[in-house]
Amino acid sequence: MAQDGLPLLFSSADPADVKAAQVQFGQDKAAQAIEGFFAEVARQVRALGATKIITAGGETSGAVVEGLELAQFEIGPEIDPGVPALRAGTDFVVALKSGNFGAPDFFVKADRVLGG
């Protein structure tokens, strides 16, 4: 929260490592752990005063919405085809992007649109 610029948090692993975790813990439990982590981070940054969150990935977006208990949105301007800016309260905006949408500069555009 104290850094300049747009913070980025992501999960990624070699496919063999993902498969190993799924075998060890079960596919559902491994997925729930990652989704729960992103939901908790969203709750914490919102509690610290974040006014916007940009997510990528359908499951991650769903986890963030559930974690923040967002019940309704006002649809705003389009960031990229199929991805609108969303107002989730008087002082909070989000972008929820599935993995199939968005240009290579999506995060930069989303930050600009959500900031305006």
Side-chain angles (χ1 to χ4, degrees):
M1 292 296 292
Q3 74 180 22
D4 290 331
L6 187 62
L8 177 66
L9 175 68
F10 65 94
S11 63
S12 180
D14 182 271
D17 294 336
V18 172
K19 184 66 175 170
Q22 291 172 337
V23 167
Q24 182 177 357
F25 301 107
Q27 187 173 358
D28 288 341
K29 191 170 183 180
Q32 288 172 358
I34 297 294
E35 292 165 17
F37 171 74
F38 280 104
E40 181 60 26
V41 169
R43 280 191 293 272
Q44 288 187 27
V45 298
R46 180 68 178 130
L48 291 170
T51 58
K52 63 183 164 186
I53 292 180
I54 303 165
T55 68
E59 290 84 4
T60 301
S61 293
V64 167
V65 167
E66 288 180 14
L68 294 174
E69 299 178 357
L70 302 177
Q72 68 183 53
F73 299 104
E74 178 182 327
I75 298 173
E78 187 175 68
I79 298 166
D80 268 344
V83 187
L86 302 169
R87 180 162 298 285
T90 57
D91 67 339
F92 190 58
V93 291
V94 296
L96 306 170
K97 180 186 97 58
S98 82
N100 299 326
F101 294 92
D105 62 346
F106 171 77
F107 292 101
V108 173
K109 288 192 293 188
D111 183 45
R112 185 177 63 245
V113 171
L114 293 178

